[in-house]
Amino acid sequence: MYGKMQEHLQKELELIKDAGLFKDERIIVSPQKAEIKVKSGQEVLNFCANNYLGLSNNQKLIDRAKRALDERGYGMSSVRFICGTQDLHKELEHTISKFFGTEDTILYASCYDANGGAFQPLFTEEDAIISDELNHASIIDGVRLCKAQRYRYKNADMKDLEEKLKEAQSQRFRIIVTDGVFSMDGNAAPMDKIMELANKYEALVMIDESHSAGVVGKTGRGVTEEYNCMGQADMITGTLGKAFGGAIGGFTTGRKEIVDMLRQRSRPYLFSNSIPPVVAAAGTEAFNMLQKENTLQDKLHENVDYFVAKMKEAKFDIKPTQSAICAVMLYDAKLSQEFAAELLEEGIYVIGFYYPVVPQGEARIRVQLSAAHEREHLDKAIDAFIKVGKKLNVI
Ligand SMILES: *Cc1c(COP(=O)(O)O)cnc(C)c1O
């Protein structure tokens, strides 16, 4: 049988390649950090990791992980409700609740799982899920697993959201669902206005803070801090795979009864393995570090301000950003690929994105800044952008 399918897959793969959409994976042979070594032996500066606070290779986290490995072992070999819960897991849940000012937290193997398991236990066909059109794939998939009525509003468009809320008034419960920061533009969801509408039209609010927690807001509490509405969201999902050490793991934090119900009914939680002790321990350490001092958040914010100002000064077309994501607009798909390849030659690792990842005619290079970047790293990247920009007639 496989022969027929093989032929089919080979053809499909060729089509992906012909469209220029085939994803090749570059192999890194060093830890994840600002200066990485790739398999060809080239050393490059990394500007495309979600390592926002530079914690992926942080010595304190590594030491804490090693200690946990010695004290609690390697794996859990169980889901949480059978025998997969250690003191370390409860400690991480408490620490996350403290960080966000929420009532309780439930851990998942990833934020993909947190979003995948967020809706089906809570909502039925009587209810409405009102979702931003640019929400992450995992939210879209999670919504698909639930029988609630679906509404989609234009990205961060409060007029459209209000329309959808009006349409959904006859439903039993309504929930507005939004990413905190949208990954391709770096803009944030206007949480103050969303909260206002939620109150006016009696809706719950869920925020996915994957790109915003640790990053946005004066102390990195995310978009609820930025818009002065901490503690108002009913559910916040997030990942340990970005700002908080970058290993693996996700969570939902929020109202007590919601978390209690997820522990009873959320399928990715019930039927998938517990995160390993090393991740629970180092994750707790990461949140505690950020709770104690603001050094990394401050450095990241300074780096973003510096980079954006210099790039604007050089006349690059930069999307307004409220996060550590800086979209350098090139509009043309081919140009975005050429530009990224030239930058790599200059030792700067970034990715060019184009349709269908971003809208047609809106190709760009996405730069992700980090507290791991030193001023000299930023200057090297800016110089390389200017050099390549001139060469390719962009500036
Ligand atoms: C990265 C991301 C996720 C997935 O997180 P994982 O923990 O890697 O599964 C979910 N939602 C958003 C908005 C993200 O950016």
Short mmCIF file of all heavy atoms in Angstrom, two decimals, residues 63-114:
data_model
loop_
_atom_site.label_atom_id
_atom_site.label_comp_id
_atom_site.label_asym_id
_atom_site.label_seq_id
_atom_site.Cartn_x
_atom_site.Cartn_y
_atom_site.Cartn_z
N ASP A 63 21.97 25.45 37.34
CA ASP A 63 22.33 24.90 38.66
C ASP A 63 21.11 24.33 39.37
O ASP A 63 21.17 23.26 39.97
CB ASP A 63 22.97 25.99 39.53
CG ASP A 63 24.35 26.40 39.01
OD1 ASP A 63 24.92 25.65 38.18
OD2 ASP A 63 24.84 27.48 39.41
N ARG A 64 19.98 25.07 39.28
CA ARG A 64 18.76 24.60 39.95
C ARG A 64 18.27 23.30 39.30
O ARG A 64 17.84 22.38 39.99
CB ARG A 64 17.67 25.70 39.85
CG ARG A 64 16.38 25.33 40.57
CD ARG A 64 16.58 25.19 42.07
NE ARG A 64 15.45 24.60 42.76
CZ ARG A 64 15.35 23.30 43.07
NH1 ARG A 64 16.33 22.46 42.76
NH2 ARG A 64 14.30 22.83 43.71
N ALA A 65 18.38 23.24 37.98
CA ALA A 65 17.96 22.03 37.26
C ALA A 65 18.83 20.84 37.67
O ALA A 65 18.32 19.74 37.90
CB ALA A 65 18.02 22.26 35.75
N LYS A 66 20.12 21.08 37.80
CA LYS A 66 21.03 19.98 38.19
C LYS A 66 20.70 19.46 39.58
O LYS A 66 20.69 18.27 39.84
CB LYS A 66 22.48 20.48 38.16
CG LYS A 66 23.07 20.56 36.76
CD LYS A 66 24.51 21.02 36.83
CE LYS A 66 25.13 21.08 35.44
NZ LYS A 66 26.38 21.86 35.43
N ARG A 67 20.42 20.39 40.49
CA ARG A 67 20.08 19.99 41.85
C ARG A 67 18.78 19.17 41.85
O ARG A 67 18.69 18.13 42.53
CB ARG A 67 19.94 21.25 42.73
CG ARG A 67 19.85 20.97 44.21
CD ARG A 67 20.40 22.13 45.04
NE ARG A 67 19.64 23.36 44.89
CZ ARG A 67 18.49 23.61 45.52
NH1 ARG A 67 17.95 22.72 46.34
NH2 ARG A 67 17.87 24.76 45.33
N ALA A 68 17.82 19.63 41.05
CA ALA A 68 16.54 18.90 40.99
C ALA A 68 16.74 17.50 40.41
O ALA A 68 16.12 16.54 40.85
CB ALA A 68 15.54 19.69 40.14
N LEU A 69 17.64 17.40 39.47
CA LEU A 69 17.93 16.11 38.85
C LEU A 69 18.47 15.15 39.92
O LEU A 69 18.08 13.99 39.98
CB LEU A 69 18.98 16.34 37.75
CG LEU A 69 19.11 15.35 36.61
CD1 LEU A 69 17.79 15.06 35.95
CD2 LEU A 69 20.10 15.90 35.60
N ASP A 70 19.36 15.67 40.78
CA ASP A 70 19.92 14.84 41.85
C ASP A 70 18.88 14.50 42.91
O ASP A 70 18.86 13.39 43.43
CB ASP A 70 21.09 15.58 42.52
CG ASP A 70 22.32 15.62 41.62
OD1 ASP A 70 22.40 14.77 40.69
OD2 ASP A 70 23.19 16.50 41.82
N GLU A 71 18.01 15.46 43.22
CA GLU A 71 17.11 15.26 44.36
C GLU A 71 15.77 14.61 44.00
O GLU A 71 15.16 13.96 44.83
CB GLU A 71 16.83 16.62 45.03
CG GLU A 71 18.07 17.18 45.72
CD GLU A 71 17.86 18.60 46.27
OE1 GLU A 71 16.75 19.16 46.11
OE2 GLU A 71 18.81 19.13 46.84
N ARG A 72 15.31 14.83 42.73
CA ARG A 72 13.98 14.32 42.38
C ARG A 72 14.00 13.44 41.13
O ARG A 72 12.94 13.01 40.68
CB ARG A 72 13.00 15.47 42.16
CG ARG A 72 12.67 16.31 43.37
CD ARG A 72 11.77 15.58 44.36
NE ARG A 72 11.40 16.44 45.46
CZ ARG A 72 12.20 16.72 46.50
NH1 ARG A 72 13.39 16.17 46.57
NH2 ARG A 72 11.80 17.53 47.45
N GLY A 73 15.19 13.22 40.57
CA GLY A 73 15.28 12.29 39.45
C GLY A 73 14.94 12.90 38.11
O GLY A 73 14.75 14.11 37.98
N TYR A 74 14.85 12.07 37.10
CA TYR A 74 14.75 12.51 35.72
C TYR A 74 13.31 12.63 35.21
O TYR A 74 12.90 13.68 34.73
CB TYR A 74 15.54 11.55 34.84
CG TYR A 74 15.43 11.79 33.37
CD1 TYR A 74 15.88 12.98 32.81
CD2 TYR A 74 14.87 10.82 32.53
CE1 TYR A 74 15.77 13.21 31.45
CE2 TYR A 74 14.76 11.03 31.17
CZ TYR A 74 15.21 12.23 30.63
OH TYR A 74 15.10 12.46 29.29
N GLY A 75 12.55 11.57 35.32
CA GLY A 75 11.20 11.58 34.74
C GLY A 75 10.13 11.27 35.76
O GLY A 75 10.41 10.81 36.86
N MET A 76 8.88 11.53 35.39
CA MET A 76 7.76 11.24 36.30
C MET A 76 7.00 9.98 35.92
O MET A 76 6.28 9.41 36.74
CB MET A 76 6.79 12.42 36.33
CG MET A 76 7.31 13.66 37.04
SD MET A 76 7.94 13.33 38.71
CE MET A 76 6.46 12.74 39.50
N SER A 77 7.11 9.55 34.67
CA SER A 77 6.45 8.31 34.24
C SER A 77 4.98 8.25 34.65
O SER A 77 4.46 7.17 34.93
CB SER A 77 7.16 7.08 34.83
OG SER A 77 8.54 7.19 34.65
N SER A 78 4.33 9.38 34.66
CA SER A 78 2.91 9.39 35.03
C SER A 78 2.27 10.71 34.68
O SER A 78 2.95 11.72 34.54
CB SER A 78 2.78 9.17 36.54
OG SER A 78 1.42 9.29 36.93
N VAL A 79 0.97 10.68 34.56
CA VAL A 79 0.21 11.93 34.48
C VAL A 79 0.05 12.45 35.91
O VAL A 79 0.26 11.73 36.87
CB VAL A 79 -1.16 11.74 33.80
CG1 VAL A 79 -0.97 11.25 32.38
CG2 VAL A 79 -2.04 10.77 34.59
N ARG A 80 -0.38 13.72 36.01
CA ARG A 80 -0.44 14.35 37.33
C ARG A 80 -1.34 13.61 38.31
O ARG A 80 -0.98 13.43 39.47
CB ARG A 80 -0.91 15.81 37.17
CG ARG A 80 0.10 16.73 36.49
CD ARG A 80 1.26 17.07 37.39
NE ARG A 80 0.84 17.75 38.60
CZ ARG A 80 0.60 19.05 38.71
NH1 ARG A 80 0.77 19.83 37.66
NH2 ARG A 80 0.22 19.58 39.84
N PHE A 81 -2.54 13.19 37.87
CA PHE A 81 -3.53 12.70 38.85
C PHE A 81 -3.28 11.25 39.26
O PHE A 81 -3.89 10.77 40.21
CB PHE A 81 -4.96 12.91 38.33
CG PHE A 81 -5.44 11.85 37.36
CD1 PHE A 81 -6.20 10.77 37.81
CD2 PHE A 81 -5.12 11.93 36.01
CE1 PHE A 81 -6.65 9.80 36.92
CE2 PHE A 81 -5.57 10.97 35.13
CZ PHE A 81 -6.33 9.90 35.57
N ILE A 82 -2.36 10.56 38.58
CA ILE A 82 -2.03 9.21 39.06
C ILE A 82 -0.85 9.29 40.01
O ILE A 82 -1.03 9.29 41.21
CB ILE A 82 -1.86 8.23 37.87
CG1 ILE A 82 -3.19 8.15 37.11
CG2 ILE A 82 -1.45 6.84 38.38
CD1 ILE A 82 -3.22 7.21 35.94
N CYS A 83 0.36 9.44 39.51
CA CYS A 83 1.46 9.65 40.47
C CYS A 83 2.51 10.59 39.88
O CYS A 83 3.70 10.41 40.06
CB CYS A 83 2.07 8.34 40.94
SG CYS A 83 2.64 7.27 39.59
N GLY A 84 2.03 11.61 39.17
CA GLY A 84 2.94 12.52 38.48
C GLY A 84 3.09 13.89 39.13
O GLY A 84 3.56 14.82 38.49
N THR A 85 2.66 14.02 40.38
CA THR A 85 2.76 15.33 41.04
C THR A 85 3.79 15.29 42.16
O THR A 85 3.63 14.56 43.14
CB THR A 85 1.40 15.76 41.63
OG1 THR A 85 0.45 15.81 40.57
CG2 THR A 85 1.50 17.13 42.28
N GLN A 86 4.86 16.07 42.00
CA GLN A 86 5.82 16.24 43.10
C GLN A 86 5.58 17.58 43.76
O GLN A 86 4.88 18.45 43.21
CB GLN A 86 7.25 16.22 42.56
CG GLN A 86 7.78 14.84 42.23
CD GLN A 86 9.17 14.89 41.63
OE1 GLN A 86 9.60 15.92 41.11
NE2 GLN A 86 9.87 13.77 41.67
N ASP A 87 6.21 17.78 44.92
CA ASP A 87 6.19 19.10 45.56
C ASP A 87 6.64 20.18 44.58
O ASP A 87 6.14 21.31 44.59
CB ASP A 87 7.05 19.10 46.82
CG ASP A 87 8.45 18.53 46.60
OD1 ASP A 87 8.72 17.98 45.50
OD2 ASP A 87 9.28 18.64 47.52
N LEU A 88 7.59 19.83 43.67
CA LEU A 88 8.11 20.82 42.72
C LEU A 88 7.04 21.33 41.77
O LEU A 88 7.03 22.50 41.38
CB LEU A 88 9.25 20.21 41.89
CG LEU A 88 10.53 19.84 42.65
CD1 LEU A 88 11.54 19.20 41.71
CD2 LEU A 88 11.13 21.08 43.32
N HIS A 89 6.11 20.46 41.39
CA HIS A 89 5.03 20.89 40.49
C HIS A 89 4.08 21.86 41.20
O HIS A 89 3.66 22.86 40.62
CB HIS A 89 4.25 19.67 39.97
CG HIS A 89 5.09 18.75 39.11
ND1 HIS A 89 5.88 17.77 39.66
CD2 HIS A 89 5.29 18.71 37.78
CE1 HIS A 89 6.53 17.14 38.68
NE2 HIS A 89 6.18 17.70 37.53
N LYS A 90 3.75 21.54 42.45
CA LYS A 90 2.86 22.44 43.20
C LYS A 90 3.54 23.78 43.44
O LYS A 90 2.91 24.83 43.37
CB LYS A 90 2.45 21.81 44.55
CG LYS A 90 1.58 20.57 44.46
CD LYS A 90 0.45 20.66 43.46
CE LYS A 90 -0.70 21.54 43.87
NZ LYS A 90 -1.78 21.52 42.81
N GLU A 91 4.85 23.71 43.71
CA GLU A 91 5.60 24.95 43.95
C GLU A 91 5.58 25.84 42.71
O GLU A 91 5.38 27.05 42.79
CB GLU A 91 7.04 24.56 44.29
CG GLU A 91 7.78 25.54 45.15
CD GLU A 91 9.20 25.04 45.42
OE1 GLU A 91 9.38 23.83 45.68
OE2 GLU A 91 10.13 25.88 45.34
N LEU A 92 5.77 25.23 41.55
CA LEU A 92 5.75 26.02 40.31
C LEU A 92 4.35 26.63 40.09
O LEU A 92 4.23 27.81 39.73
CB LEU A 92 6.15 25.15 39.11
CG LEU A 92 6.07 25.83 37.74
CD1 LEU A 92 6.89 27.12 37.69
CD2 LEU A 92 6.55 24.87 36.62
N GLU A 93 3.32 25.86 40.36
CA GLU A 93 1.95 26.39 40.19
C GLU A 93 1.71 27.58 41.12
O GLU A 93 1.15 28.60 40.71
CB GLU A 93 0.92 25.27 40.41
CG GLU A 93 0.91 24.29 39.24
CD GLU A 93 0.01 23.07 39.43
OE1 GLU A 93 -0.39 22.79 40.58
OE2 GLU A 93 -0.28 22.39 38.44
N HIS A 94 2.16 27.46 42.36
CA HIS A 94 1.98 28.58 43.31
C HIS A 94 2.77 29.80 42.86
O HIS A 94 2.30 30.93 42.94
CB HIS A 94 2.42 28.17 44.72
CG HIS A 94 1.51 27.17 45.35
ND1 HIS A 94 1.94 26.17 46.20
CD2 HIS A 94 0.18 27.01 45.23
CE1 HIS A 94 0.91 25.44 46.57
NE2 HIS A 94 -0.18 25.93 46.00
N THR A 95 3.98 29.55 42.37
CA THR A 95 4.85 30.66 41.97
C THR A 95 4.26 31.41 40.77
O THR A 95 4.31 32.63 40.71
CB THR A 95 6.25 30.12 41.60
OG1 THR A 95 6.70 29.30 42.67
CG2 THR A 95 7.24 31.24 41.38
N ILE A 96 3.69 30.67 39.84
CA ILE A 96 3.07 31.30 38.67
C ILE A 96 1.85 32.13 39.11
O ILE A 96 1.66 33.26 38.66
CB ILE A 96 2.69 30.24 37.60
CG1 ILE A 96 3.96 29.61 37.01
CG2 ILE A 96 1.82 30.86 36.50
CD1 ILE A 96 3.71 28.46 36.05
N SER A 97 1.04 31.58 40.01
CA SER A 97 -0.13 32.32 40.51
C SER A 97 0.31 33.62 41.16
O SER A 97 -0.31 34.67 40.96
CB SER A 97 -0.92 31.50 41.52
OG SER A 97 -1.28 30.25 40.99
N LYS A 98 1.38 33.55 41.94
CA LYS A 98 1.88 34.74 42.63
C LYS A 98 2.34 35.78 41.60
O LYS A 98 2.06 36.97 41.72
CB LYS A 98 3.04 34.36 43.56
CG LYS A 98 3.26 35.35 44.67
CD LYS A 98 4.12 34.77 45.79
CE LYS A 98 5.58 35.03 45.49
NZ LYS A 98 6.51 34.31 46.34
N PHE A 99 3.03 35.31 40.57
CA PHE A 99 3.58 36.22 39.55
C PHE A 99 2.46 36.99 38.84
O PHE A 99 2.58 38.19 38.59
CB PHE A 99 4.39 35.40 38.54
CG PHE A 99 5.15 36.24 37.54
CD1 PHE A 99 6.37 36.82 37.85
CD2 PHE A 99 4.64 36.44 36.26
CE1 PHE A 99 7.07 37.58 36.93
CE2 PHE A 99 5.33 37.21 35.32
CZ PHE A 99 6.56 37.78 35.66
N PHE A 100 1.37 36.31 38.53
CA PHE A 100 0.30 36.96 37.78
C PHE A 100 -0.81 37.53 38.67
O PHE A 100 -1.76 38.15 38.18
CB PHE A 100 -0.33 35.98 36.78
CG PHE A 100 0.57 35.66 35.62
CD1 PHE A 100 1.31 34.50 35.58
CD2 PHE A 100 0.69 36.55 34.55
CE1 PHE A 100 2.15 34.20 34.52
CE2 PHE A 100 1.52 36.27 33.48
CZ PHE A 100 2.26 35.10 33.47
N GLY A 101 -0.71 37.26 39.97
CA GLY A 101 -1.76 37.73 40.87
C GLY A 101 -3.07 37.01 40.64
O GLY A 101 -4.16 37.60 40.72
N THR A 102 -2.99 35.72 40.37
CA THR A 102 -4.19 34.92 40.09
C THR A 102 -4.46 33.94 41.23
O THR A 102 -3.63 33.79 42.13
CB THR A 102 -4.00 34.12 38.79
OG1 THR A 102 -2.70 33.53 38.80
CG2 THR A 102 -4.11 35.02 37.56
N GLU A 103 -5.61 33.25 41.16
CA GLU A 103 -6.00 32.38 42.27
C GLU A 103 -5.34 31.01 42.23
O GLU A 103 -4.99 30.45 43.25
CB GLU A 103 -7.53 32.22 42.27
CG GLU A 103 -8.25 33.51 42.64
CD GLU A 103 -9.75 33.43 42.49
OE1 GLU A 103 -10.30 32.34 42.16
OE2 GLU A 103 -10.39 34.47 42.68
N ASP A 104 -5.19 30.46 41.03
CA ASP A 104 -4.58 29.12 40.94
C ASP A 104 -4.05 28.90 39.53
O ASP A 104 -4.40 29.63 38.60
CB ASP A 104 -5.62 28.04 41.30
CG ASP A 104 -4.95 26.72 41.72
OD1 ASP A 104 -3.70 26.66 41.77
OD2 ASP A 104 -5.69 25.76 42.00
N THR A 105 -3.21 27.87 39.41
CA THR A 105 -2.54 27.58 38.14
C THR A 105 -2.50 26.08 37.90
O THR A 105 -2.37 25.31 38.84
CB THR A 105 -1.08 28.12 38.17
OG1 THR A 105 -1.12 29.52 38.38
CG2 THR A 105 -0.32 27.81 36.89
N ILE A 106 -2.64 25.68 36.64
CA ILE A 106 -2.52 24.27 36.26
C ILE A 106 -1.45 24.17 35.17
O ILE A 106 -1.44 24.95 34.22
CB ILE A 106 -3.89 23.71 35.78
CG1 ILE A 106 -3.75 22.31 35.19
CG2 ILE A 106 -4.58 24.61 34.78
CD1 ILE A 106 -5.10 21.67 34.82
N LEU A 107 -0.54 23.21 35.35
CA LEU A 107 0.56 23.05 34.39
C LEU A 107 0.17 22.11 33.26
O LEU A 107 -0.61 21.18 33.45
CB LEU A 107 1.79 22.44 35.09
CG LEU A 107 2.42 23.23 36.23
CD1 LEU A 107 3.55 22.41 36.86
CD2 LEU A 107 2.94 24.57 35.72
N TYR A 108 0.76 22.34 32.12
CA TYR A 108 0.61 21.44 30.96
C TYR A 108 2.00 21.17 30.40
O TYR A 108 2.97 21.84 30.76
CB TYR A 108 -0.25 22.10 29.88
CG TYR A 108 -1.71 22.21 30.20
CD1 TYR A 108 -2.19 23.29 30.94
CD2 TYR A 108 -2.62 21.25 29.77
CE1 TYR A 108 -3.55 23.40 31.22
CE2 TYR A 108 -3.97 21.37 30.06
CZ TYR A 108 -4.43 22.44 30.77
OH TYR A 108 -5.77 22.55 31.05
N ALA A 109 2.08 20.22 29.47
CA ALA A 109 3.37 19.92 28.83
C ALA A 109 3.80 21.05 27.91
O ALA A 109 4.98 21.18 27.57
CB ALA A 109 3.27 18.61 28.06
N SER A 110 2.85 21.88 27.49
CA SER A 110 3.17 23.00 26.61
C SER A 110 2.00 23.97 26.62
O SER A 110 0.91 23.62 27.10
CB SER A 110 3.38 22.50 25.17
OG SER A 110 2.15 22.01 24.65
N CYS A 111 2.21 25.17 26.08
CA CYS A 111 1.07 26.08 25.97
C CYS A 111 0.14 25.61 24.85
O CYS A 111 -1.05 25.89 24.88
CB CYS A 111 1.54 27.52 25.73
SG CYS A 111 0.19 28.70 25.77
N TYR A 112 0.70 24.89 23.89
CA TYR A 112 -0.15 24.28 22.87
C TYR A 112 -1.22 23.41 23.56
O TYR A 112 -2.41 23.47 23.22
CB TYR A 112 0.70 23.44 21.90
CG TYR A 112 -0.08 23.01 20.69
CD1 TYR A 112 0.03 23.72 19.50
CD2 TYR A 112 -0.93 21.92 20.74
CE1 TYR A 112 -0.71 23.35 18.39
CE2 TYR A 112 -1.67 21.54 19.64
CZ TYR A 112 -1.55 22.25 18.47
OH TYR A 112 -2.29 21.90 17.38
N ASP A 113 -0.77 22.65 24.54
CA ASP A 113 -1.70 21.80 25.28
C ASP A 113 -2.63 22.62 26.18
O ASP A 113 -3.82 22.28 26.32
CB ASP A 113 -0.94 20.80 26.15
CG ASP A 113 -0.51 19.58 25.35
OD1 ASP A 113 -0.95 19.43 24.20
OD2 ASP A 113 0.28 18.76 25.89
N ALA A 114 -2.09 23.66 26.79
CA ALA A 114 -2.94 24.50 27.66
C ALA A 114 -4.10 25.07 26.84
O ALA A 114 -5.25 25.02 27.27
CB ALA A 114 -2.11 25.63 28.27
#
